[in-house]
Amino acid sequence: MYPPYPPEPWRIKMVEPIRLPTPEERRTALRAAGYNTSLLRSADVFIDLYTDSGTNAMSDRQWSDMMIGDEAYAGSRSFYRLEQAVQHYYGYDHVIPTHQGRGAENILSRILVRPGSHIPGNMYFTTTRTHQELNGGTFHDIIVDEAHDPADEHPFKGNVDLAKLDRLIRTVGAENIPYVSLAATVNMAGGQPISLANLAETRELTAAHDIPIILDAARAVENAWFIQQREPGRADQSIAHILAEICRLTDGACMSAKKDSYANIGGWLAVRDPDLAEQARNLVVIYEGLHTYGGMAGRDMEAVARGIEESVEHDNIRARVEQVGYLGDRLIAAGVPVMRPIGGHAVCVDAAATLEHLPRSQFPAQTLAAAIYLDSATRAAERGTVSAGRDPASGEHRYPKLELVRLTIPRRVYTRSHLDFVADSIINVHNDRAAITTGLTFTHEPSVLRFFQGRFAPADSTVTRSGA
């Protein structure tokens, strides 16, 4: 039915009990959460696939290193260990720690984005675009068209469409593009990678116009794995070598260490330009903490530094991506429409295809995520119309081509039997999809990042909408 997978390269040393709520408890919890899986209490969730951000299991070496964390306010030796790890594996000269990735995005946007700025990128990410827009910028999607087609098997759906980028530069002027925002891998497309060849071509084009490239490096190690597996001439290169090659072609990076680095908290902004680094150090003091801790405790910096080292170990990244692939292959074999090829951190169910009888205005992905929770207490995340938000100019819903339910696999947390449980649930919901006769509508709609705090009700009920 699906290919065999080798066992995980770790054994369980400590366990955390989890409980499957009853069907009635699930119904009560979902209503209390306003049909938003973001607002469910973790105690009401059995298998939590909402995100891989900070939900990973740290290793015995990471826990051990936390015991030697230096909690000095200024000049912590743990910062210098983190700095050395980033410089060694990612290759950037200047490292500014932040409490997590969006802290780095905030600082970068405050320095570089101004009213009238245009920021091209290989598909938007929610917090990244929000920071850009709040500082007066406009995001432009320059990803290849294949990325917007869930059924397309293009191996590098994170690639930049160079014609789109060139056209934008000529239209708005290079002086109005503070940087190109590149994700590796692309979260909103289900973890799709960018190839080194495409990144090199993008670098050549931007260098001709003196436009820097800033990498979203949260899952760059996963991207390196796909390059090793899929790109000609890379099979014999190590993950660490390919990661360094990715970063060499960029001018800086925002990093959420809660992803590839296995940590529960932490992040960094790293750049090559000393003037940009100086501005970032000044702002990090205002928004995060002193430039040698940036919102992290010393023990967390130790955990991140060790996590960076572990992340590029071949068996670790192989098991991580193949575990995601296992769940994806089970769903594909059962006829569930998913984003293909399977990405590095998540399996994304095509909610628009599954619930094709629902209008997009009734938020099929939000509806499907709620149905999956009701079936099995599995928490997934909506990545569609709700996440896309409203157009700042028109105030109308943005309707992205992708309407997905994201099942994100935390690293080193769940076993294959857990994933089988999830697969059985999603297959059950898919097979019974005709029973979902109505979608959802907002009862409370925040103005920013509405997918986190928004509340909903069945679209056929009488509701009062607020906060629009």
Side-chain angles (χ1 to χ4, degrees), residues 90-318:
Y90 291 84
Y92 301 111
D93 300 313
H94 306 282
V95 182
I96 298 93
T98 58
H99 77 284
Q100 61 182 75
R102 69 193 57 172
E105 292 174 343
N106 176 45
I107 291 168
L108 182 74
S109 294
R110 285 181 174 273
I111 295 171
L112 295 181
V113 179
R114 296 288 181 269
S117 293
H118 296 268
I119 306 95
N122 56 344
M123 198 172 288
Y124 83 99
F125 183 65
T126 53
T127 59
T128 310
R129 185 175 68 185
T130 298
H131 283 301
Q132 293 164 353
E133 291 178 346
L134 288 175
N135 284 279
T138 301
F139 176 82
H140 298 268
D141 189 358
I142 55 166
I143 204 166
V144 293
D145 290 341
E146 291 89 341
H148 295 286
D149 180 358
D152 196 293
E153 293 280 2
H154 191 295
F156 291 103
K157 292 168 86 168
N159 280 356
V160 169
D161 185 319
L162 296 168
K164 291 180 183 178
L165 177 56
D166 183 65
R167 187 162 54 248
L168 180 67
I169 294 171
R170 296 178 186 279
T171 300
V172 304
E175 68 278 8
N176 293 313
I177 300 178
Y179 63 95
V180 173
S181 178
L182 287 189
T185 58
V186 179
N187 190 339
M188 301 301 283
Q192 302 296 324
I194 184 172
S195 71
L196 266 177
N198 180 259
L199 180 54
E201 291 176 330
T202 304
R203 169 79 286 175
E204 183 178 3
L205 176 57
T206 58
H209 296 278
D210 198 26
I211 300 171
I213 295 176
I214 301 296
L215 181 71
D216 178 346
R219 300 180 180 88
V221 176
E222 294 172 14
N223 202 114
W225 168 265
F226 285 122
I227 288 171
Q228 186 194 68
Q229 300 299 306
R230 298 176 182 175
E231 192 160 357
R234 302 292 177 177
D236 294 330
Q237 296 178 350
S238 70
I239 297 300
H241 175 82
I242 296 171
L243 176 64
E245 283 291 291
I246 293 171
C247 296
R248 183 182 62 80
L249 294 167
T250 69
D251 299 282
C254 293
M255 177 65 172
S256 171
K258 300 165 69 177
K259 280 82 167 178
D260 272 350
S261 300
Y262 298 100
N264 299 136
I265 197 67
W268 42 263
L269 171 64
V271 296
R272 305 192 194 284
D273 183 347
D275 293 332
L276 181 58
E278 180 64 16
Q279 293 179 68
R281 290 189 189 100
N282 290 335
L283 282 184
V284 82
V285 176
I286 299 172
Y287 294 107
E288 301 283 319
L290 201 68
H291 67 280
T292 52
Y293 76 89
M296 277 192 284
R299 55 184 174 271
D300 295 317
M301 289 189 282
E302 293 285 351
V304 172
R306 176 68 74 173
I308 290 172
E309 297 170 0
E310 293 181 3
S311 70
V312 298
E313 293 174 0
H314 186 271
D315 280 349
N316 273 339
I317 185 60
R318 173 195 56 77

Side-chain angles (χ1 to χ4, degrees), residues 455-466:
R455 289 181 172 272
F456 305 84
D460 60 356
S461 66
T462 301
V463 297
T464 299
R465 179 167 163 266
S466 65

